[in-house]
Coordinates of all heavy atoms in Angstrom, one line a residue:
M1375 N -35.9 69.8 119.0 CA -34.4 70.1 119.4 C -33.6 70.1 118.2 O -33.9 69.4 117.2 CB -33.9 68.9 120.3 CG -34.4 69.0 121.8 SD -33.4 68.0 122.7 CE -32.6 69.1 123.7
S1376 N -32.5 70.8 118.2 CA -31.6 70.9 117.1 C -30.6 69.8 117.2 O -30.5 69.0 118.1 CB -30.8 72.2 117.2 OG -30.1 72.3 118.3
K1377 N -30.0 69.5 116.1 CA -29.0 68.5 116.0 C -27.6 69.0 115.7 O -27.4 70.1 115.2 CB -29.4 67.4 115.0 CG -30.6 66.7 115.2 CD -30.9 65.6 114.3 CE -32.2 64.9 114.7 NZ -32.5 63.7 113.9
I1378 N -26.5 68.3 116.1 CA -25.2 68.7 115.9 C -24.5 67.5 115.1 O -24.8 66.4 115.4 CB -24.5 69.1 117.1 CG1 -24.5 68.0 118.2 CG2 -25.0 70.4 117.7 CD1 -23.8 68.3 119.5
V1379 N -23.4 67.9 114.4 CA -22.6 66.9 113.7 C -21.3 66.9 114.4 O -20.7 68.0 114.5 CB -22.5 67.2 112.2 CG1 -21.5 66.2 111.6 CG2 -23.9 67.3 111.5
I1380 N -20.8 65.8 114.8 CA -19.5 65.7 115.5 C -18.5 64.9 114.7 O -18.9 63.8 114.2 CB -19.7 65.0 116.9 CG1 -20.8 65.6 117.7 CG2 -18.4 65.0 117.7 CD1 -21.3 64.8 118.9
E1381 N -17.3 65.5 114.4 CA -16.4 64.8 113.5 C -15.1 64.6 114.3 O -14.6 65.6 115.0 CB -16.1 65.5 112.2 CG -15.1 64.9 111.4 CD -14.8 65.7 110.1 OE1 -15.5 66.7 109.9 OE2 -13.9 65.2 109.4
L1382 N -14.6 63.3 114.3 CA -13.3 63.0 115.0 C -12.1 63.6 114.1 O -12.0 63.0 113.0 CB -13.2 61.6 115.3 CG -12.0 61.2 116.1 CD1 -12.0 61.7 117.5 CD2 -11.9 59.7 116.1
V1383 N -11.4 64.5 114.5 CA -10.4 65.1 113.6 C -8.9 64.8 114.2 O -7.9 65.0 113.4 CB -10.5 66.6 113.4 CG1 -11.7 67.0 112.7 CG2 -10.5 67.4 114.8
R1384 N -8.8 64.3 115.4 CA -7.5 63.9 116.0 C -7.7 62.5 116.7 O -8.7 62.3 117.2 CB -7.0 64.9 117.0 CG -6.6 66.3 116.4 CD -5.8 67.1 117.3 NE -4.6 66.6 117.6 CZ -3.7 67.0 118.7 NH1 -4.2 67.9 119.3 NH2 -2.6 66.4 118.8
S1385 N -6.7 61.8 116.6 CA -6.7 60.3 117.2 C -6.6 60.5 118.8 O -5.9 61.3 119.3 CB -5.5 59.6 116.8 OG -5.4 58.3 117.4
P1386 N -7.4 59.7 119.4 CA -7.4 59.6 120.9 C -6.2 58.9 121.4 O -6.0 58.8 122.7 CB -8.7 59.0 121.4 CG -9.1 58.2 120.1 CD -8.5 58.9 119.0
V1387 N -5.4 58.3 120.7 CA -4.2 57.5 121.0 C -3.3 58.5 121.8 O -3.0 59.6 121.4 CB -3.4 56.9 119.8 CG1 -2.2 56.3 120.2 CG2 -4.4 55.9 119.2
G1388 N -2.9 58.0 123.0 CA -1.9 58.8 123.8 C -2.6 59.8 124.8 O -2.0 60.5 125.6
Y1389 N -3.9 59.8 124.8 CA -4.7 60.6 125.7 C -5.3 59.6 126.8 O -5.2 58.5 126.7 CB -5.9 61.3 125.0 CG -5.4 62.4 124.1 CD1 -5.1 62.2 122.8 CD2 -5.1 63.7 124.7 CE1 -4.7 63.3 121.9 CE2 -4.6 64.7 123.9 CZ -4.4 64.5 122.6 OH -3.9 65.6 121.7
K1390 N -5.9 60.3 127.8 CA -6.4 59.5 128.9 C -7.4 58.5 128.7 O -8.2 58.7 127.6 CB -6.9 60.4 130.0 CG -5.9 61.3 130.7 CD -6.5 62.2 131.7 CE -5.4 63.1 132.3 NZ -6.0 63.9 133.3
Y1391 N -7.5 57.4 129.4 CA -8.5 56.4 129.1 C -9.9 57.0 129.1 O -10.7 56.5 128.2 CB -8.5 55.3 130.2 CG -9.4 54.2 130.2 CD1 -9.2 53.2 129.2 CD2 -10.6 54.2 131.0 CE1 -10.2 52.2 129.1 CE2 -11.4 53.2 130.9 CZ -11.3 52.2 129.9 OH -12.3 51.2 129.8
D1392 N -10.3 57.9 130.0 CA -11.7 58.3 130.0 C -12.0 59.2 128.7 O -13.1 59.2 128.3 CB -12.0 59.2 131.3 CG -11.1 60.3 131.4 OD1 -9.9 60.3 130.8 OD2 -11.5 61.3 132.1
Q1393 N -11.0 59.8 128.2 CA -11.1 60.5 126.9 C -11.4 59.5 125.8 O -12.3 59.8 124.9 CB -10.1 61.5 126.6 CG -10.0 62.6 127.7 CD -8.8 63.5 127.4 OE1 -7.9 63.3 126.7 NE2 -8.8 64.6 128.1
K1394 N -10.7 58.5 125.7 CA -10.9 57.5 124.8 C -12.3 56.8 124.8 O -12.9 56.6 123.8 CB -9.8 56.4 124.9 CG -8.4 56.8 124.6 CD -7.5 55.7 124.7 CE -6.0 56.1 124.6 NZ -5.1 55.0 124.9
Q1395 N -12.8 56.6 126.1 CA -14.1 56.1 126.2 C -15.2 57.0 125.9 O -16.2 56.6 125.4 CB -14.2 55.6 127.8 CG -13.4 54.4 128.1 CD -13.7 53.3 127.3 OE1 -14.8 52.8 127.1 NE2 -12.6 52.6 126.7
T1396 N -14.9 58.4 126.1 CA -15.9 59.3 125.7 C -16.0 59.4 124.1 O -17.1 59.4 123.6 CB -15.5 60.7 126.2 OG1 -15.4 60.6 127.5 CG2 -16.5 61.8 125.7
V1397 N -14.9 59.2 123.4 CA -14.9 59.2 121.9 C -15.7 57.9 121.5 O -16.6 58.0 120.6 CB -13.5 59.1 121.4 CG1 -13.5 58.7 119.9 CG2 -12.7 60.4 121.6
K1398 N -15.5 56.8 122.1 CA -16.2 55.5 121.9 C -17.7 55.7 122.2 O -18.5 55.2 121.3 CB -15.6 54.4 122.7 CG -16.1 53.1 122.4 CD -15.4 52.0 123.1 CE -15.9 50.6 122.9 NZ -15.2 49.6 123.6
A1399 N -18.0 56.3 123.2 CA -19.4 56.4 123.7 C -20.2 57.3 122.7 O -21.4 57.1 122.6 CB -19.5 57.1 125.1
L1400 N -19.5 58.3 122.1 CA -20.2 59.2 121.0 C -20.4 58.4 119.7 O -21.1 58.8 118.8 CB -19.4 60.4 120.8 CG -19.5 61.5 121.9 CD1 -18.5 62.6 121.7 CD2 -20.8 62.0 121.9
G1401 N -19.7 57.3 119.6 CA -19.9 56.4 118.3 C -18.8 56.7 117.3 O -19.1 56.3 116.1
L1402 N -17.7 57.3 117.7 CA -16.7 57.6 116.8 C -15.6 56.6 116.8 O -15.1 56.3 117.9 CB -16.1 59.0 117.1 CG -17.0 60.2 117.0 CD1 -16.5 61.4 117.7 CD2 -17.5 60.5 115.7
K1403 N -15.3 56.0 115.7 CA -14.3 54.9 115.6 C -13.0 55.3 115.0 O -11.8 54.8 115.4 CB -14.9 53.7 115.0 CG -16.1 53.1 115.8 CD -16.8 52.0 115.2 CE -17.9 51.6 116.0 NZ -19.0 50.8 115.4
K1404 N -13.2 55.9 113.9 CA -11.9 56.2 113.0 C -11.8 57.7 112.8 O -12.9 58.4 113.0 CB -12.0 55.6 111.7 CG -12.0 54.0 111.7 CD -12.1 53.5 110.3 CE -12.1 52.0 110.2 NZ -12.2 51.4 108.9
L1405 N -10.7 58.1 112.3 CA -10.5 59.5 112.1 C -11.6 60.0 111.0 O -11.7 59.1 110.1 CB -9.1 59.8 111.5 CG -8.1 59.9 112.7 CD1 -6.7 60.2 112.1 CD2 -8.3 61.0 113.6
H1406 N -12.0 61.1 111.0 CA -13.0 61.8 110.2 C -14.4 61.0 110.2 O -15.1 61.2 109.3 CB -12.4 61.8 108.7 CG -11.1 62.6 108.7 ND1 -11.1 63.9 109.0 CD2 -9.8 62.2 108.6 CE1 -9.8 64.3 109.0 NE2 -9.0 63.3 108.7
D1407 N -14.6 60.1 111.1 CA -16.0 59.6 111.4 C -16.9 60.8 111.8 O -16.4 61.7 112.5 CB -16.0 58.5 112.5 CG -15.8 57.1 111.9 OD1 -15.7 57.0 110.7 OD2 -15.8 56.2 112.8
R1408 N -18.1 60.7 111.3 CA -19.1 61.8 111.7 C -20.3 61.1 112.2 O -20.7 60.1 111.7 CB -19.4 62.6 110.5 CG -18.3 63.4 109.9 CD -18.5 64.1 108.6 NE -19.6 65.0 108.7 CZ -19.5 66.3 108.4 NH1 -18.5 66.8 107.9 NH2 -20.5 67.2 108.7
V1409 N -20.8 61.7 113.3 CA -22.1 61.2 113.8 C -23.0 62.4 114.0 O -22.5 63.6 114.3 CB -21.9 60.4 115.2 CG1 -21.2 59.2 114.9 CG2 -21.2 61.3 116.2
V1410 N -24.3 62.1 114.0 CA -25.3 63.2 114.2 C -25.9 62.9 115.5 O -26.4 61.8 115.8 CB -26.4 63.3 113.1 CG1 -27.4 64.3 113.4 CG2 -25.7 63.5 111.8
K1411 N -26.0 63.9 116.5 CA -26.6 63.7 117.9 C -27.5 64.8 118.2 O -27.4 65.9 117.6 CB -25.4 63.7 118.9 CG -24.4 62.5 118.8 CD -25.0 61.2 119.1 CE -24.0 60.1 119.1 NZ -24.5 58.8 119.5
Q1412 N -28.4 64.6 119.0 CA -29.3 65.6 119.5 C -28.4 66.6 120.4 O -27.5 66.2 121.1 CB -30.4 65.0 120.5 CG -31.4 64.3 119.8 CD -32.3 65.0 118.9 OE1 -32.5 66.2 119.1 NE2 -32.8 64.4 117.8
D1413 N -28.7 67.9 120.2 CA -28.0 68.9 121.1 C -28.6 69.0 122.4 O -29.7 69.5 122.6 CB -28.1 70.1 120.3 CG -27.1 71.2 120.9 OD1 -26.4 70.9 121.8 OD2 -27.1 72.4 120.5
N1414 N -28.0 68.3 123.3 CA -28.5 68.4 124.8 C -27.4 68.5 125.7 O -26.2 68.4 125.3 CB -29.3 67.2 125.1 CG -28.7 65.9 125.0 OD1 -27.4 65.7 125.4 ND2 -29.3 64.9 124.4
P1415 N -27.5 68.9 127.0 CA -26.4 69.1 127.9 C -25.5 67.9 128.0 O -24.3 68.1 128.3 CB -27.1 69.4 129.2 CG -28.5 70.0 128.8 CD -28.8 69.2 127.6
Q1416 N -26.0 66.7 128.1 CA -25.2 65.5 128.2 C -24.1 65.4 127.1 O -23.0 65.1 127.3 CB -26.0 64.3 128.4 CG -26.9 64.1 129.5 CD -28.2 64.9 129.5 OE1 -28.6 65.4 128.4 NE2 -28.9 65.1 130.5
I1417 N -24.6 65.5 125.8 CA -23.7 65.4 124.6 C -22.8 66.6 124.7 O -21.6 66.5 124.4 CB -24.6 65.4 123.4 CG1 -25.5 64.2 123.3 CG2 -23.6 65.5 122.2 CD1 -24.7 62.9 123.3
R1418 N -23.2 67.8 125.0 CA -22.3 69.1 125.1 C -21.2 68.8 126.1 O -20.1 69.2 126.0 CB -23.2 70.3 125.3 CG -23.9 70.8 124.3 CD -23.1 71.3 123.2 NE -23.8 71.9 122.1 CZ -23.3 72.5 121.1 NH1 -22.0 72.8 121.0 NH2 -24.1 73.0 120.1
G1419 N -21.6 68.1 127.3 CA -20.5 67.8 128.2 C -19.5 66.9 127.8 O -18.3 67.0 128.1
M1420 N -19.9 65.9 127.0 CA -19.0 64.9 126.4 C -18.1 65.6 125.4 O -16.8 65.4 125.4 CB -19.8 63.7 125.8 CG -20.6 62.9 126.8 SD -21.6 61.7 125.8 CE -20.5 60.5 125.4
I1421 N -18.7 66.5 124.6 CA -17.9 67.2 123.6 C -16.9 68.1 124.2 O -15.8 68.2 123.8 CB -18.8 68.0 122.6 CG1 -19.6 67.1 121.7 CG2 -18.1 69.0 121.8 CD1 -20.7 67.8 121.1
N1422 N -17.3 68.8 125.4 CA -16.4 69.6 126.1 C -15.2 68.9 126.6 O -14.0 69.3 126.6 CB -17.1 70.3 127.2 CG -16.3 71.4 127.9 OD1 -15.6 72.1 127.1 ND2 -16.3 71.4 129.2
K1423 N -15.4 67.6 127.0 CA -14.3 66.8 127.6 C -13.2 66.4 126.5 O -12.0 66.3 126.7 CB -14.9 65.5 128.2 CG -13.9 64.6 128.8 CD -14.6 63.6 129.6 CE -13.6 62.9 130.6 NZ -14.3 62.3 131.8
I1424 N -13.7 66.3 125.2 CA -12.7 65.9 124.2 C -12.7 67.0 123.0 O -12.5 66.6 121.9 CB -13.1 64.5 123.6 CG1 -14.5 64.6 123.0 CG2 -12.9 63.5 124.5 CD1 -14.9 63.4 122.2
R1425 N -12.9 68.3 123.4 CA -13.0 69.3 122.5 C -11.7 69.4 121.6 O -11.8 70.0 120.5 CB -13.4 70.6 123.1 CG -12.4 71.2 124.1 CD -12.9 72.4 124.9 NE -11.9 72.8 125.9 CZ -11.9 72.4 127.1 NH1 -12.8 71.5 127.5 NH2 -11.1 72.8 128.0
H1426 N -10.6 69.0 122.2 CA -9.4 69.1 121.3 C -9.2 68.0 120.3 O -8.4 68.0 119.5 CB -8.2 69.0 122.4 CG -8.2 67.8 123.2 ND1 -9.0 67.6 124.3 CD2 -7.5 66.7 123.2 CE1 -8.9 66.5 124.9 NE2 -7.9 65.8 124.2
L1427 N -10.2 67.0 120.3 CA -10.1 65.9 119.4 C -11.2 65.9 118.3 O -11.1 65.2 117.3 CB -10.4 64.5 120.1 CG -9.2 64.2 121.2 CD1 -9.7 63.0 121.9 CD2 -7.8 64.2 120.6
V1428 N -12.2 66.8 118.5 CA -13.4 66.8 117.6 C -13.7 68.2 117.1 O -13.2 69.2 117.5 CB -14.7 66.3 118.4 CG1 -14.5 64.9 118.7 CG2 -15.0 67.2 119.5
K1429 N -14.4 68.2 115.9 CA -15.0 69.4 115.3 C -16.5 69.2 115.4 O -17.0 68.2 115.1 CB -14.5 69.5 113.9 CG -15.0 70.8 113.2 CD -14.3 70.9 111.8 CE -14.9 70.0 110.9 NZ -14.5 70.2 109.5
V1430 N -17.2 70.4 115.8 CA -18.6 70.3 116.0 C -19.3 71.3 115.1 O -18.9 72.4 115.0 CB -19.0 70.6 117.4 CG1 -20.4 70.6 117.7 CG2 -18.4 69.6 118.3
E1431 N -20.3 70.9 114.4 CA -21.1 71.8 113.5 C -22.6 71.6 113.9 O -23.1 70.6 114.2 CB -20.9 71.5 112.0 CG -19.6 71.6 111.5 CD -19.4 71.0 110.2 OE1 -20.3 70.6 109.5 OE2 -18.2 71.0 109.7
E1432 N -23.4 72.8 113.7 CA -24.8 72.6 113.9 C -25.4 72.2 112.6 O -24.9 72.6 111.5 CB -25.3 74.1 114.2 CG -24.8 74.7 115.4 CD -25.8 74.7 116.6 OE1 -26.9 74.5 116.4 OE2 -25.2 74.9 117.8
L1433 N -26.4 71.4 112.7 CA -27.0 70.7 111.5 C -28.2 71.7 111.1 O -29.1 72.0 112.0 CB -27.6 69.4 111.8 CG -28.1 68.6 110.6 CD1 -26.9 68.4 109.7 CD2 -28.7 67.3 111.1
R1434 N -28.2 72.2 109.9 CA -29.2 73.1 109.5 C -30.5 72.3 109.2 O -30.5 71.1 108.9 CB -28.8 73.9 108.3 CG -27.6 74.9 108.6 CD -27.2 75.5 107.3 NE -26.2 74.6 106.6 CZ -26.1 74.7 105.3 NH1 -26.5 75.7 104.6 NH2 -25.3 73.8 104.7
K1435 N -31.6 73.1 109.1 CA -32.9 72.4 109.0 C -33.0 71.7 107.7 O -33.6 70.6 107.6 CB -34.1 73.4 109.1 CG -34.2 74.0 110.5 CD -34.7 72.9 111.4 CE -34.9 73.5 112.8 NZ -35.4 72.6 113.8
E1436 N -32.4 72.3 106.6 CA -32.5 71.6 105.2 C -31.8 70.3 105.2 O -32.1 69.4 104.4 CB -31.9 72.6 104.2 CG -32.5 73.9 104.1 CD -31.6 74.9 105.0 OE1 -30.4 74.9 104.9 OE2 -32.2 75.6 105.7
E1437 N -30.8 70.1 106.0 CA -30.0 68.9 106.0 C -30.6 67.8 106.8 O -30.3 66.7 106.6 CB -28.6 69.2 106.6 CG -27.8 70.1 105.7 CD -26.4 70.5 106.3 OE1 -26.1 69.9 107.4 OE2 -25.8 71.3 105.8
E1438 N -31.6 68.0 107.6 CA -32.2 67.0 108.4 C -33.0 66.1 107.5 O -33.3 65.1 107.3 CB -33.1 67.6 109.5 CG -32.3 68.3 110.5 CD -33.2 68.8 111.6 OE1 -34.4 68.6 111.6 OE2 -32.6 69.4 112.6

């Protein structure tokens, strides 16, 4: 499976509780934190919920 890099680019302060919990569940704590996750439907659903707060990039094979 491919991997994706998720970066928190906006603060979840002022947004709904479930969106804050989604950011936390992805492992993002501070602005500009980056995490690498497997690209699967569950992670894509989480990203879709907070798409206004994050930036997503595909991880190329050389970077793995």
Side-chain angles (χ1 to χ4, degrees):
M1375 285 191 110
S1376 61
K1377 294 187 177 186
I1378 53 177
V1379 178
I1380 308 163
E1381 180 179 359
L1382 185 63
V1383 294
R1384 292 192 66 192
S1385 173
V1387 172
Y1389 289 96
K1390 293 182 181 178
Y1391 176 77
D1392 60 333
Q1393 292 177 349
K1394 292 178 188 179
Q1395 291 302 308
T1396 303
V1397 169
K1398 186 176 179 181
L1400 284 171
L1402 300 166
K1403 296 178 180 155
K1404 297 181 179 181
L1405 283 180
H1406 304 291
D1407 267 359
R1408 296 171 63 118
V1409 292
V1410 177
K1411 298 286 184 181
Q1412 292 289 334
D1413 191 6
N1414 60 43
Q1416 293 82 10
I1417 298 296
R1418 286 290 180 172
M1420 294 170 82
I1421 291 169
N1422 189 42
K1423 186 170 196 157
I1424 58 167
R1425 64 186 175 271
H1426 55 286
L1427 301 176
V1428 296
K1429 181 172 76 171
V1430 180
E1431 299 172 4
E1432 303 254 347
L1433 191 63
R1434 293 178 282 161
K1435 293 290 181 184
E1436 306 91 48
E1437 295 177 3
E1438 292 180 2

